[in-house]
Structure formats: C-alpha cells, structure tokens
Amino acid sequence: MKKTFLKVISIVLCLAVILTGSAFMAFADEAAGDAFFRISVSMNGDASSQRGFCWYTKTNDNSVVTISDADGNKVNATVTYEDVIEWEGNFCHQAVVSGLEAGKTYYYTISNETASSPVGSFVTDDGNDSFKFIAIADVQAGNEENFEKGSKVLDAAFATMPDAEFVANLGDFTDDSTNEEWDWYAKHFGDNNMATTLVPIAGNHDGLGVEYWFNNMFALDTSESVQVKDGVNYSFDYGNAHIAVLNTNDLLAMSNAQLKWLKNDMNGTDKDWKIVFMHKSPYSLGKDAKWPDALYLQKSLAKVLDKCDVDIVMSGHDHMYLRTKALENNKVSEDGTVYVLAGTAGAKRYEIRSFLADHFLDTDFIAAMTVQKHGYANYWNGTDWNQTKQTNIGGVFNCVSVNGGTLTVTAYVLADEPDENGNDVITVIDTYTLTKETGKNEITFTGDNTTSELEYNLGIVPSFLRLAAYALGEWLPKFLIMVPALLDVVINEGTF
C-alpha cells in the first residue's frame, strides 16, 4: 500500500513539474513575443549597404539589432543607435545598420538579455537596372477589423509579386495615430513588414495634428528633411532610379524650402528614372480634390517636376485609383510626368465628385480611373465613367517593375467578395509602360542640400503667402464658378 501511494505521489509530482514547465515556457514565449513591437526596417541612406530599424518596448531596455546571413552567421555590420526616447507611454528605439553588401538577403532579430523577436529579413539593392516594388496607400483604419482587411491587400500584393524588394506606403497608415491604432497596424502588417524594406510616406493622418508620430514610427534619413514635425522628406537611389519622398503636410501643402530641396535633389542625380512618392495628389476627382492645399500642388510642385524631368509621381489621399496621361505645364505632353493616384488598400473609399470635372481636373487628362466604393464601382472607358464592374469593389495595390529603359506599373483590386469557391478575386484594373533611352540624365547640382532651422523659419511666411495668393487669386474664382455644379450634385446625389 505504501509503495502504491508513493507511486501515485511521484506521478502527481511529475505531472505538476511538466505542467508548470509548460506554463512557464508558454509565458516565456508570450513575453518574448510581446517584448518588442512595431518592428520595421526602412530605407535609410544607401539602399545597397544601409537600413534603418525602429522598434518599441514597454520599458527602457538595452535591446539591440543582430544581423545574420543566410547561413545564420552573424554579420560584422556597423550598428549606430539613437538615444531611446519615451513616446506616448512606450519606448522608441531606432538604429542604422551600415556596411552591408549589395544584392544580399539579410536576417535580423531584436533582442535583450531575456527575449528575442521573431526573425525578420530584407534584401539590399544589387545596383543593377532591374528591380520591383509594391505601392499601397490609405489603409487609414480606425478599428482592428479594417487593419486586418488592409493587411490582406498587402498579402495579395506579395502573392502577385513575391520578388518585390520594397514596399512604398503612400501615407495614412492609421486614422488618428493613437497607440491602439499603431498597435493594430503592427499586429496585422507586422509579418509583411518584417519580411521587406519599407519606404514610408507621411499622410495627413500621420502628421497634421499628431506631430512627431511619423518620425517616431520609422527610422528614416532626416539629414536633408526641411523639418520633421509632421513628416519627413528624403531620397535614395535604387537600381537605375532616383526616388524622392515628399511631405505634403509641410505648411499644409509644401513649403518653399521643400520645393527647393526637391529641385536640387532631382538635379543632383544622373539616374535614368526619376520617381516621386507623396501623399496628397495634385490630380483627382475625389473628396479632397476641391480644396486649395492639394490643388496648389498643380501649380507649385508640378513646375518643379517639369523642370527636373520627373517620370512618374505616385500618391494617395483621395481613396480611388486614377492615372493621368503624361502632363507638362498642366497640358498633355509625351515628355511630361505621369501622376498615379494609387487607390486605397483600406475600407474607406470615395466616389467621384463629378462637379470637379473640367473645373479642377480636365477629363482629357485621365488615362485610367477606378472607383472602389460599394454602390459605385465605376471606371473610365476613355470617354466617361458611366460603366461599373463589381470586382472593382475592394482594396487596390500596385506592382511596379523597372528593367533598364522600361518601367511598368500594374494596378490590381483584391475584391471584397471571394468567388463561389471562396478564393480571392484579384483583377487588373490598369497597366501601362513607360520607356526611355537610358544614360541621358546629367547631374547639374552638387551643392549642400540641407535646410537650416533658421532658413526654414524665415521661409514660413513667404510659403503661406504663396499658398494664400493661389487660394484667393486662382482657386477661389474657379471654386465659385464650380458652385452651381457642386450644388446640383449635393442636392441630387448627396455628395459634397
């Protein structure tokens, strides 16, 4: 009897140890998984050898970045850490990793003495004239369900273009830039974010009224940014392209200082392709296209783009897809710039404001257009937008490939509704190719392109006066002429 009792006690103790150990391991795994959050790798400086890392912790720890190669060997790269800052109740860590080799896939973890993040990866630019990337815009979710929906659009983009080397997010990552929203974004976009390099662009929901959130979410090269309060402007080379990222929150549209920076930046490259990413779109028929801040860009920014021979501009803000023909001096021209309003990857979508047509956007400029909103789903057929297609109702992503003197953009919709078998429905809504003779661009600017705080501040009043002069002298008269058409649409369609 005594032996039987001892056996029972032994079994009970073994089970207790096993269960306790399992519970401890589960707790440890959960703690490790939660120790580091909002992890991202961003383009920062030389795309062939350098990246910016950003992550958050609940406490101010001494966590570090570790870079490894495909065999798991630690890479002898240089890691430069910024000071850890407390931001909205959490701790923001940023670091720049340099000394990487071109054209290689690297793996990384974030760790401290007690925990380690999942393994992330990214690829460096190999410097040749062939590469691919994905562009999305305006997830702008305010609840977890819509972040999840937006993340499925990016999933579909990578399924369509698995060899994309980076993702350009054209702004409005969240709706209100709260801790809760950024955590939802990280939760649902985190897997993709940790498997690529991000090129983040500040949207108005990322900067206006929520100062410094954007700069504290991504480790970016701010050395030439005219300011960082409501966004960041920066640039980099990738393959045979030079890419500039603009901040359209800058003094509501764009300061004189940033326009000067862009002109110098684009004149300072001899890369074959000149590409601009920004949030607000100069050309649109969406909800926000009637206000002077975005429309001002048709006058101020477009002139700089024309002079610098920029090939393509990709933007967001108006939650629909629209591509213009090549434009120069606000007219159709084979030698001009193509403007792409990249659609929305989110659930918030806009219908066409027909009163804008031929007042603020000449319909002859339109090469393609798709409305993603439920109840509309209309698209441009070359003459009008009176036809509809139900598979247009969904989230848009753009796949871009560059191969020497050829640049191709293909825009897709991931339909909200699956097919009868429950499979995703992915439809091409636009595709186009730009071609050019390579080796023709020349460097015409080689000076300092930084802006001092004093220089920026001295330019604030002239920048506002320039915007005000446009608003009163050009925008307001056009708006007043448009009022009868606007009222007709408001009364008959309930759309403003």
Side-chain angles (χ1 to χ4, degrees):
M1 180 72 181
K2 185 175 181 181
K3 289 182 179 180
T4 303
F5 176 75
L6 289 174
K7 286 181 180 179
V8 171
I9 291 296
S10 297
I11 292 171
V12 170
L13 289 173
C14 288
L15 287 173
V17 169
I18 291 170
L19 291 173
T20 303
S22 298
F24 175 78
M25 290 301 294
F27 174 79
D29 287 343
E30 181 180 0
D34 292 343
F36 315 104
F37 54 102
R38 302 178 191 168
I39 301 172
S40 65
V41 178
S42 298
M43 210 66 76
N44 184 314
D46 186 345
S48 65
S49 64
Q50 192 163 295
R51 288 294 184 273
F53 288 75
C54 184
W55 68 96
Y56 274 72
T57 56
K58 292 293 184 182
T59 59
N60 188 358
D61 68 5
N62 59 348
S63 48
V64 297
V65 181
T66 302
I67 307 294
S68 303
D69 61 20
D71 297 322
N73 300 314
K74 184 177 178 180
V75 172
N76 186 26
T78 300
V79 185
T80 305
Y81 294 93
E82 299 291 332
D83 292 337
V84 178
I85 66 167
E86 185 174 4
W87 181 250
E88 298 292 328
N90 297 303
F91 290 87
C92 174
H93 304 250
Q94 293 194 359
V96 175
V97 175
S98 56
L100 304 172
E101 294 182 31
K104 289 191 66 174
T105 299
Y106 287 97
Y107 301 85
Y108 69 92
T109 57
I110 310 296
S111 61
N112 58 24
E113 296 91 341
T114 59
S116 181
S117 73
V119 177
S121 64
F122 61 92
V123 61
T124 53
D125 175 26
D126 60 13
N128 68 23
D129 62 358
S130 179
F131 65 94
K132 299 177 181 178
F133 67 88
I134 291 165
I136 62 170
D138 295 293
V139 173
Q140 200 192 324
N143 59 62
E144 186 171 6
E145 179 183 2
N146 285 342
F147 277 106
E148 183 177 11
K149 289 179 179 178
S151 69
K152 290 179 179 178
V153 177
L154 188 55
D155 290 342
F158 273 110
T160 304
M161 184 178 270
D163 51 349
E165 296 181 30
F166 61 86
V167 174
N169 189 316
L170 297 160
D172 284 359
F173 290 76
T174 70
D175 192 30
D176 294 314
S177 268
T178 63
N179 270 319
E180 185 176 44
E181 288 179 355
W182 279 107
D183 287 343
W184 284 332
Y185 166 77
K187 176 181 178 180
H188 293 286
F189 283 81
D191 288 345
N192 281 322
N193 287 352
M194 288 193 67
T196 192
T197 298
L198 296 181
V199 179
I201 295 90
N204 54 301
H205 287 261
D206 309 316
L208 294 177
V210 285
E211 286 80 7
Y212 299 107
W213 265 102
F214 182 79
N215 193 38
N216 289 331
M217 286 296 109
F218 308 102
L220 302 172
D221 179 7
T222 61
S223 60
E224 292 186 354
S225 189
V226 298
Q227 51 103 348
V228 297
K229 183 178 180 180
D230 51 29
V232 178
N233 60 279
Y234 59 99
S235 67
F236 59 95
D237 292 336
Y238 208 98
N240 64 336
H242 182 71
I243 299 172
V245 174
L246 303 182
N247 172 21
T248 55
N249 298 325
D250 183 23
L251 301 184
L252 298 180
M254 196 162 296
S255 66
N256 292 346
Q258 192 177 172
L259 291 171
K260 177 184 175 183
W261 172 85
L262 176 64
K263 180 181 177 181
N264 292 340
D265 181 72
M266 284 296 171
N267 286 336
T269 183
D270 59 1
K271 292 292 184 179
D272 296 317
W273 293 101
K274 297 182 179 182
I275 301 171
V276 168
F277 296 147
M278 54 195 274
H279 182 63
K280 292 179 182 177
S281 176
Y283 298 97
S284 170
L285 289 176
K287 180 176 75 71
D288 293 313
K290 57 183 173 288
W291 303 120
D293 55 345
L295 288 163
Y296 172 64
L297 298 174
Q298 286 187 16
K299 182 178 180 67
S300 60
L301 175 64
K303 287 183 178 180
V304 176
L305 300 175
D306 291 344
K307 291 179 181 178
C308 296
D309 297 322
V310 170
D311 298 290
I312 186 169
V313 175
M314 301 190 76
S315 61
H317 192 51
D318 250 337
H319 298 227
M320 58 189 293
Y321 181 86
L322 187 148
R323 173 173 60 89
T324 71
K325 300 170 184 176
L327 303 177
E328 185 175 14
N329 195 25
N330 213 32
K331 296 177 182 178
V332 177
S333 169
E334 291 183 359
D335 298 323
T337 303
V338 174
Y339 295 82
V340 180
L341 173 55
T344 173
K348 181 181 179 182
R349 301 156 188 165
Y350 297 162
E351 65 271 38
I352 292 169
R353 268 58 179 180
S354 58
F355 52 81
L356 293 169
D358 297 322
H359 290 283
F360 289 133
L361 177 62
D362 189 332
T363 54
D364 288 340
F365 291 0
I366 301 173
M369 180 170 61
T370 297
V371 175
Q372 306 163 237
K373 187 173 181 178
H374 182 75
Y376 294 87
N378 34 332
Y379 63 94
W380 183 254
N381 68 356
T383 304
D384 58 53
W385 56 71
N386 296 328
Q387 47 288 319
T388 63
K389 189 177 182 181
Q390 291 309 298
T391 52
N392 288 343
I393 302 171
V396 167
F397 61 91
N398 301 261
C399 294
V400 184
S401 61
V402 176
N403 189 2
T406 300
L407 185 154
T408 301
V409 180
T410 304
Y412 301 83
V413 170
L414 170 65
D416 286 347
E417 298 298 327
D419 65 17
E420 61 273 13
N421 297 316
N423 299 317
D424 287 344
V425 178
I426 300 174
T427 307
V428 174
I429 58 171
D430 185 31
T431 186
Y432 60 98
T433 297
L434 303 177
T435 59
K436 68 187 310 182
E437 187 177 358
T438 60
K440 295 298 183 180
N441 287 335
E442 296 181 355
I443 295 174
T444 59
F445 175 82
T446 57
D448 179 17
N449 202 20
T450 59
T451 304
S452 68
E453 184 176 359
L454 176 61
E455 182 182 0
Y456 181 81
N457 289 335
L458 289 174
I460 289 177
V461 172
S463 296
F464 271 124
L465 289 176
R466 188 177 179 185
L467 174 59
Y470 166 78
L472 295 174
E474 296 188 41
W475 172 82
L476 184 58
K478 288 183 179 181
F479 187 87
L480 294 175
I481 293 171
M482 186 182 70
V483 165
L486 186 154
L487 291 175
D488 179 67
V489 170
V490 171
I491 292 169
N492 294 303
E493 299 178 18
T495 301
F496 176 64

